[in-house]
Amino acid sequence: MTPNLSALFYLISGILFILALRGLSSPETSRQGNYFGIAGMVIAIIVTFISVGNFGSGLIYVLIFLVIGGSIGAFIAFRIPMTAMPELVAGFHSLVGLAAVFVAISAFLKPDAFNLGTVGNIKLASLIEMSLGAAIGAITFSGSIIAFLKLRGIMSGSPITFKGQHLINLVLGLSIVALIYYLCTSQSSNIFWSIVLISFLVGVLLIIPIGGADMPVVISMLNSYSGWAAAGIGFTLENTALIITGALVGSSGAILSYIMCKGMNRSFFNVILGGWGATDQSSSSDSIEQKPFKSGNADDAAFLMKNASSVIIVPGYGMAVAQAQHALREMVDALKKNGVKVSYAIHPVAGRMPGHMNVLLAEANVPYDEVFELEEINNDFANCDVAYVIGANDVTNPVAKTDPQSPIYGMPVLDVEKSKSVLFVKRSLSAGYAGIDNDLFYRDNTLMLFADAKKMTEEIVKSL
């Protein structure tokens, strides 16, 4: 295939990726967006195979690993529950970063195979590109592994900090820049390996001080890092498709991170620099037992909602864990038959990744015109008879508006406490992912429903 023809097909592939991103911006068009993305990737892979042409005896190994990798990916995608999607995304980001590191290592050790020059005489531009790709890829890999461990519960979700942490990060970051400069002048393999190893360390140090409340931002941030790593390697390989794809992923991830930081009242640079200014998110569970609260059952909840004129549903991670979205849809249908107006309020960081709740509700065939974002529905709580909070915690905590010492202070939250009655479905009074107590539990208009979210919702359906 001629270079011009390859460039044309890569351009078509890039256009399909752009259409995929556009489609994925809305639940209504997300399936179509996925199809565009698949088509673009298939074209890019086929064109790359044809362009390389002479694989020699190595072709069989490429195909074997392609089949193995694709099979593993398909198996995981079919088996993974929606609750584990955030850590799956973090895990996949780590693989993208690691792939960028491996390609950079290959290009540095065998530059002649990539038409980059010879060992010790690599083109300057290619050397800069591969070293940047390796550094960003290594940071993405180790940072994503830490995010995976935190999301999986293997590592504590609380910030891990120590004295002089940010100074160390700064020194290591400047060291990477200095080593890249010396690599360009000496082309020493020891300097190259030092860049890779220090970058792995930086990835760990960047993510450990970031607490659970900011984890959704971390997911999108690492997504951006993986894109820039891929783009850097794309320049090294002079592969147009990889450059376009990496730039799209990197820029869209950065924009999403910025939007989420704005929605959480977080500083974008604080988060990407590794939790700069992070506060201790220690749980206040010791004082929970001393506060009075009211609890009820399914019959109480059914009575309140059946006699309400309007109900707002606030889904959260607890709904995802219990897989209660289908039972919730049944409950809403029963309420509608009784003439109750029902809406869904979605906080931008409900769950553990962007769009988590939207996907779950779409899975239960909830009409899109009933689902509203925070800024669209927040004023409606004051005129709402009942707010049904199913597994959401930090995103409904009024402390975010009143306590400057709280780790979520300043984060826009759903004004659930303004409703006439609040039904809060939760297994216990335990703290949320941010590690702090929720003041909403103890309000006079709140009725705690202690149970599994799915089981409680099914019991309410029976009572209705």
Side-chain angles (χ1 to χ4, degrees), residues 215-299:
M215 198 50 65
V217 184
V218 173
I219 295 293
S220 60
M221 180 188 71
L222 290 170
N223 178 44
S224 178
Y225 286 177
S226 67
W228 297 125
I233 295 302
F235 280 107
T236 301
L237 302 181
E238 297 181 352
N239 186 293
T240 308
L242 199 53
I243 295 171
I244 293 174
T245 306
L248 284 173
V249 173
S251 56
S252 61
I255 292 169
L256 178 59
S257 299
Y258 174 77
I259 292 172
M260 293 181 67
C261 284
K262 189 175 179 181
M264 297 171 65
N265 196 34
R266 289 288 192 266
S267 166
F268 178 68
F269 290 103
N270 284 357
V271 175
I272 65 172
L273 291 175
W276 191 286
T279 55
D280 183 20
Q281 297 175 356
S282 58
S283 173
S284 55
S285 58
D286 293 341
S287 60
I288 288 178
E289 298 301 326
Q290 301 173 7
K291 299 178 183 179
F293 61 89
K294 293 185 291 185
S295 63
N297 54 37
D299 291 334

Side-chain angles (χ1 to χ4, degrees), residues 142-452:
S142 55
S144 297
I145 292 297
I146 297 299
F148 173 86
L149 295 175
K150 281 177 173 271
L151 289 166
R152 196 68 180 171
I154 299 173
M155 177 183 288
S156 172
S158 299
I160 300 173
T161 58
F162 53 86
K163 190 175 181 180
Q165 188 170 31
H166 298 304
L167 179 61
I168 292 174
N169 288 347
L170 178 62
V171 171
L172 291 176
L174 293 175
S175 298
I176 291 174
V177 175
L179 287 172
I180 290 176
Y181 172 77
Y182 284 114
L183 177 67
C184 293
T185 57
S186 67
Q187 301 205 13
S188 166
S189 60
N190 289 333
I191 293 179
F192 178 80
W193 289 114
S194 296
I195 292 171
V196 174
L197 293 175
I198 293 174
S199 298
F200 279 131
L201 178 59
V202 169
V204 174
L205 294 177
L206 279 178
I207 305 302
I208 58 172
I210 300 178
D214 294 325
M215 198 50 65
V217 184
V218 173
I219 295 293
S220 60
M221 180 188 71
L222 290 170
N223 178 44
S224 178
Y225 286 177
S226 67
W228 297 125
I233 295 302
F235 280 107
T236 301
L237 302 181
E238 297 181 352
N239 186 293
T240 308
L242 199 53
I243 295 171
I244 293 174
T245 306
L248 284 173
V249 173
S251 56
S252 61
I255 292 169
L256 178 59
S257 299
Y258 174 77
I259 292 172
M260 293 181 67
C261 284
K262 189 175 179 181
M264 297 171 65
N265 196 34
R266 289 288 192 266
S267 166
F268 178 68
F269 290 103
N270 284 357
V271 175
I272 65 172
L273 291 175
W276 191 286
T279 55
D280 183 20
Q281 297 175 356
S282 58
S283 173
S284 55
S285 58
D286 293 341
S287 60
I288 288 178
E289 298 301 326
Q290 301 173 7
K291 299 178 183 179
F293 61 89
K294 293 185 291 185
S295 63
N297 54 37
D299 291 334
D300 299 326
F303 177 80
L304 284 172
M305 285 194 282
K306 190 173 183 179
N307 291 280
S309 61
S310 64
V311 173
I312 298 180
I313 311 291
V314 182
Y317 187 67
M319 183 189 77
V321 173
Q323 289 291 286
Q325 62 269 27
H326 297 285
L328 184 64
R329 172 66 192 273
E330 288 183 48
M331 186 189 81
V332 170
D333 289 342
L335 289 172
K336 287 179 181 177
K337 289 179 182 178
N338 285 284
V340 181
K341 179 188 175 184
V342 183
S343 305
Y344 296 83
I346 307 295
H347 192 280
V349 293
R352 292 189 181 177
M353 67 179 293
H356 201 174
M357 297 301 106
N358 301 78
V359 172
L360 290 173
L361 295 178
E363 185 183 332
N365 295 316
V366 171
Y368 299 122
D369 58 359
E370 295 178 4
V371 181
F372 299 92
E373 300 297 328
L374 178 144
E375 62 274 6
E376 298 174 315
I377 200 171
N378 227 14
N379 292 331
D380 295 346
F381 282 104
N383 301 315
C384 169
D385 292 314
V386 177
Y388 185 72
V389 184
I390 177 168
N393 198 336
D394 299 323
V395 298
T396 63
N397 197 337
V399 167
K401 296 178 282 188
T402 59
D403 184 6
Q405 302 304 316
S406 171
I408 63 171
Y409 178 70
M411 182 179 86
V413 293
L414 292 163
D415 295 332
V416 175
E417 76 279 1
K418 294 181 180 179
S419 303
K420 293 178 183 177
S421 298
V422 178
L423 300 174
F424 208 119
V425 184
K426 204 171 183 294
R427 291 178 182 270
S428 67
L429 291 173
S430 60
Y433 200 62
I436 57 172
D437 194 16
N438 192 341
D439 187 55
L440 184 61
F441 298 163
Y442 317 106
R443 296 293 177 101
D444 292 335
N445 61 332
T446 299
L447 190 68
M448 298 299 298
L449 305 174
F450 295 114
D452 173 83

